[in-house]
Amino acid sequence: MLTGLVVLATLVVQDGVTGYDHAAAPGVVANRAIESIEVDGRLDEADWARATPATTFTQLDPFEGEPASERTEVRVLIAADALYVGARLYDRDPSGIITRLERRDAPLDDGDAFQIFLDSYHDHLTAFGFTVTPAGAIRDVVIRAGGEEDESWDGVWEAAASTDSLGWTAELRIPLSQLRYRRQEDAVWGIQLVRRIMRKQETSYFAFTPKAEQAGLNRYGHLVGLGQLETVTRLQLLPHTVFHAERLPVEAGDPFNDGDNWFGGMGLEAAYKVSSSLIMNATVNPDFGQVEADPAEVNLSDFETRFPERRPFFVEGNDFFRFGRLRASNTEDAPEFFFTRRIGGEPTGDPDYEWVDMPDATTILGAAKLSGKTEGGWTVGMLNAVTAEEHARFADEDGVAGTAPVEPLANYFSGRVTRELREGNTTVGAIATATNRDLSDPDLRSELRSSAYATGVDLNHAWGDRTYALDASFAASTINGSADAIDDAQRSSARYYQRPDAHHVDYDPTRTRLSGHAAQVALSKIAGHHWRWSASYQEVSPGLEVNDIGFQRRADQRVLAGQLQYRQQQPTRLLRQWRVATSASQQWNFGGDNIETDVGASFLTSFHNYWYSYGYVSYDLPGLNPRLTRGGPIAARPAAVCSGLSVLTDDRKWWHVTADLYYGHAAAGGWTAGT
């Protein structure tokens, strides 16, 4: 047994990658635009003919390392205020081009596409991604160092595409005002170009990284020839007016709603470029009229649903506030220390009267945000917002009317700084948040905390050409308020201090302060020819509470987890590629109760005919559930096993089928099955 473990450890350690020389990355030359470029997808201006094309593309799939099967030419032009990208995508079978016209920011992964990614800071930490399809559908995202995509960012840019007998073309105009970059005498950016040919299941890259190695922003090519980029449009002002109406069915006798409602307002948003890489945004009564509504949901659990942020003011630069990143697998969701949806949300108060006219949201009187990178190499994100005191109109059954406060005047602050070292392989950072409310009204004082503070530090470190990663963070929080407000926090679904058998916590209904901490550490192997693994430890103390300006579902838990994965990424006689993985985790609370223990295994296969299959089995050992009784005694959790199998046919075709099978069985006698 011991000998086998030693052999396995030796294989895993030796399964590394060779060193990578970033200076040898391929380059794209940006030519100066002389004439005006019309973005029509035709590439017929003389500037395009004069530009130097990038033509070397290498397949990642289906035949890793081989030249792309179709020729691609990408040209880049730089003007005083914008970057232009023109792509000629040759195809010997134009009729086989798969086009999809979809909404903006749809995944766009079921048809042909051209993508460009720009690391305009050239720090290997953040990139802007732009996707265009032959039908002209577009998508933009922010890419983080670990490869995560933030699709909530919506830049202002143009794109057009057209098809012809040679294939298709894509033309993009990306204003420099939408990018963040350092002002340099001869700027160099990171660049990645990607082409997907759907009918061949082929994806090819300009800056190619083998599957065995960690592909990321540090493996991008170089965009040169930009010259000295000036700061463009230092000040932008966007005044707005809002008007909308609604007609809804009303309950008989409602004195506040006759079925026809009219609303109006006005405000101002401003953006000022402090430097080419540091932007100050400010807003007064921001316009969120174009934001998509959250989906309707019936939530019967004891946890709050997290809806994504879509409001433009908060989406822009949100990545600068991100804290506590882990690159390990099989981890629990950690508390989110800054969640902008808390600002301007639905009022908290709930007057108990026959008729109540509640405001839908809390008015944001003003907000300001500074985000970007300093010349000294620091990344900065600071936001402060002030929300108004809100009142609801009410009328009782005797016809007596009045108003009642439902949300106090409040101030929200979040500050985040990070410093990148070793060309972005090491990042250290800190965060601080604060929420302060004016609780002069006694009704609100019993429901809301008067103040909430949190601070934290984090570390992300990679070595061995980003083959191995160490991630860690520690944070602490304190909330203050009346005894009723802090009692609500103690009795909340995150902790249930009132449980009669929760002897490890001190339930005190007279308490006016609650403090706690969260910590996590993970060691991972994130690249390699075959082996990948991770091990992590996370804990959230019973007293941690960050929901005033963050998002947290659970407290009082400790989790130890690991995963080991073996993958074959080169085609074999039977399969294109496959992988198997095994995982295990142990969860307990601060009282030592065994909350959950599970072990599992899974596999994923890709066949030569482009069918896929995925299967898993998981076994939960007997444990205890402190939340099942919603504040009552801890309950037994019986052992259970669940398994599933999915098969997906060739998704290159205009039709394809997905078949799913599921079966689960609990030791208590219950079972479930489905397709």
Side-chain angles (χ1 to χ4, degrees):
M1 177 69 174
L2 180 60
T3 303
L5 291 175
V6 172
V7 172
L8 175 59
T10 303
L11 288 173
V12 171
V13 170
Q14 291 180 347
D15 188 49
V17 298
T18 58
Y20 173 71
D21 181 10
H22 187 65
V28 179
V29 179
N31 293 72
R32 182 65 53 177
I34 299 175
E35 58 184 343
S36 176
I37 303 296
E38 181 182 358
V39 182
D40 55 8
R42 300 186 184 279
L43 307 182
D44 50 6
E45 289 87 359
D47 279 342
W48 291 121
R50 287 191 291 265
T52 305
T55 60
T56 304
F57 283 75
T58 305
Q59 292 186 50
L60 185 68
D61 285 309
F63 305 110
E64 181 184 1
E66 295 189 10
S69 64
E70 303 286 352
R71 181 174 174 81
T72 302
E73 296 178 355
V74 180
R75 295 172 171 84
V76 177
L77 300 174
I78 182 67
D81 61 347
L83 188 78
Y84 293 87
V85 181
R88 159 55 75 178
L89 304 110
Y90 292 95
D91 198 312
R92 284 165 287 188
D93 181 15
S95 63
I97 297 173
I98 298 177
T99 63
R100 297 285 188 269
L101 182 58
E102 301 190 54
R103 295 183 60 186
R104 177 169 181 163
D105 286 343
L108 303 182
D109 56 3
D110 57 353
D112 288 38
F114 169 72
Q115 298 174 292
I116 177 172
F117 299 93
L118 297 171
D119 178 7
S120 51
Y121 275 129
H122 205 204
D123 61 358
H124 308 157
L125 295 174
T126 306
F128 300 92
F130 307 87
T131 303
V132 184
T133 73
I138 63 172
R139 184 173 190 258
D140 50 18
V141 296
V142 172
I143 305 293
R144 302 186 179 107
E148 306 95 334
E149 293 186 354
D150 180 4
E151 62 181 30
S152 60
W153 177 71
D154 286 321
V156 180
W157 55 288
E158 300 176 66
S162 63
T163 58
D164 54 30
S165 60
L166 299 178
W168 65 286
T169 57
E171 192 171 23
L172 298 80
R173 179 184 183 272
I174 305 170
L176 296 179
S177 62
Q178 301 301 299
L179 304 174
R180 297 166 182 257
Y181 52 89
R182 294 187 177 95
R183 186 178 177 183
Q184 299 171 306
E185 184 175 342
D186 190 10
V188 178
W189 293 357
I191 186 172
Q192 179 65 284
L193 307 170
V194 185
R195 180 183 181 181
R196 183 174 64 247
I197 304 175
M198 189 62 183
R199 72 178 185 279
K200 300 181 179 182
Q201 287 284 288
E202 179 180 322
T203 305
S204 55
Y205 287 77
F206 171 70
F208 172 74
T209 303
K211 293 179 182 179
E213 302 177 23
Q214 181 67 16
L217 280 67
N218 65 315
R219 305 298 292 266
Y220 282 11
H222 296 139
L223 178 59
V224 300
L226 296 170
Q228 183 169 345
L229 300 175
E230 299 295 332
T231 303
V232 296
T233 316
R234 296 188 68 90
L235 178 63
Q236 295 179 345
L237 298 176
L238 181 64
H240 63 262
T241 58
V242 180
F243 175 79
H244 69 275
E246 64 181 21
R247 174 169 292 180
L248 300 170
V250 297
E251 191 174 346
D254 188 342
F256 303 120
N257 191 354
D258 60 3
D260 291 316
N261 297 303
W262 306 81
F263 306 91
M266 58 189 306
L268 174 69
E269 295 187 20
Y272 178 73
K273 277 205 168 186
V274 180
S275 68
S276 60
S277 59
L278 204 59
I279 298 177
M280 171 73 77
N281 298 91
T283 182
V284 177
N285 192 21
D287 174 18
F288 301 139
Q290 301 301 315
V291 175
E292 296 181 26
D294 294 324
E297 181 186 73
V298 178
N299 185 349
L300 300 180
S301 74
D302 57 345
F303 296 123
E304 176 188 4
T305 299
R306 185 191 186 282
F307 291 109
E309 179 63 88
R310 300 183 186 276
R311 300 173 294 178
F313 174 81
F314 294 108
V315 168
E316 170 64 24
N318 195 38
D319 191 63
F320 292 101
F321 296 89
R322 193 159 173 259
F323 173 80
R325 177 171 66 103
L326 289 185
R327 284 168 283 192
S329 302
N330 196 34
T331 59
E332 290 290 316
D333 290 335
E336 191 173 351
F337 283 81
F338 183 46
F339 180 51
T340 54
R341 287 290 296 257
R342 300 297 185 199
I343 303 173
E346 185 178 350
T348 307
D350 185 18
D352 186 17
Y353 292 96
E354 181 72 16
W355 302 103
V356 178
D357 180 26
M358 282 280 291
D360 295 330
T362 304
T363 302
I364 300 176
L365 296 176
K369 175 171 56 179
L370 178 69
S371 60
K373 297 186 182 251
T374 68
E375 295 297 332
W378 291 89
T379 300
V380 179
M382 293 189 179
L383 183 146
N384 197 82
V386 179
T387 58
E389 181 179 1
E390 297 287 351
H391 292 79
R393 297 185 296 168
F394 69 84
D396 61 21
E397 47 189 25
D398 297 326
V400 178
T403 62
V406 292
E407 190 71 22
L409 179 71
N411 189 89
Y412 299 87
F413 170 81
S414 178
R416 168 83 162 135
V417 294
T418 59
R419 180 61 186 259
E420 298 88 34
L421 307 169
R422 301 176 55 246
E423 297 183 341
N425 287 303
T426 302
T427 304
V428 294
I431 192 172
T433 66
T435 303
N436 293 277
R437 299 183 177 95
D438 178 9
L439 296 181
S440 54
D441 185 273
D443 292 334
L444 294 178
R445 192 180 307 132
S446 64
E447 298 180 14
L448 295 169
R449 274 91 72 164
S450 59
S451 62
Y453 306 101
T455 58
V457 292
D458 61 346
L459 165 72
N460 299 114
H461 175 65
W463 69 96
D465 194 23
R466 301 201 181 188
T467 300
Y468 302 94
L470 173 67
D471 304 306
S473 67
F474 178 85
S477 72
T478 296
I479 58 173
N480 304 285
S482 67
D484 288 339
I486 301 303
D487 184 52
D488 286 344
Q490 294 179 84
R491 298 169 63 90
S492 73
S493 61
R495 47 191 63 83
Y496 291 134
Y497 270 31
Q498 73 274 25
R499 273 182 34 230
D501 48 6
H503 304 299
H504 62 288
V505 295
D506 179 21
Y507 174 53
D508 181 2
T510 66
R511 176 181 284 151
T512 58
R513 171 177 294 185
L514 187 66
S515 300
H517 73 272
Q520 56 184 2
V521 61
L523 180 64
S524 311
K525 184 174 186 289
I526 55 179
H529 293 285
H530 298 294
W531 293 100
R532 309 284 176 93
W533 51 261
S534 66
S536 62
Y537 173 76
Q538 299 170 278
E539 73 172 36
V540 180
S541 76
L544 183 84
E545 177 57 60
V546 298
N547 277 315
D548 293 86
I549 196 174
F551 188 88
Q552 174 189 351
R553 287 194 174 98
R554 293 184 177 182
D556 191 15
Q557 67 176 7
R558 289 175 164 137
V559 184
L560 184 64
Q563 185 189 61
L564 179 65
Q565 181 183 114
Y566 182 88
R567 55 175 61 190
Q568 173 59 49
Q569 301 175 105
Q570 301 298 328
T572 63
R573 187 172 64 87
L574 298 177
L575 301 171
R576 290 178 60 225
Q577 53 184 307
W578 57 274
R579 69 171 183 258
V580 294
T582 182
S583 61
S585 67
Q586 168 75 58
Q587 182 180 147
W588 63 98
N589 62 19
F590 274 60
D593 298 316
N594 177 23
I595 304 303
E596 184 175 340
T597 304
D598 69 80
V599 293
S602 64
F603 73 88
L604 175 67
T605 59
S606 172
F607 299 93
H608 289 293
N609 63 353
Y610 298 102
W611 285 38
Y612 297 84
S613 65
Y614 170 75
Y616 70 92
V617 60
S618 176
Y619 179 64
D620 294 335
L621 278 69
L624 299 171
N625 188 335
R627 295 181 172 86
L628 183 64
T629 58
R630 306 288 176 96
I634 199 167
R637 180 199 299 272
V641 62
C642 60
S643 58
L645 176 66
S646 299
V647 177
L648 173 67
T649 64
D650 187 354
D651 61 358
R652 298 174 301 169
K653 299 179 179 180
W654 68 271
W655 65 272
H656 55 272
V657 177
T658 301
D660 297 305
L661 298 175
Y662 171 84
Y663 176 78
H665 181 270
W671 62 273
T672 181
T675 59

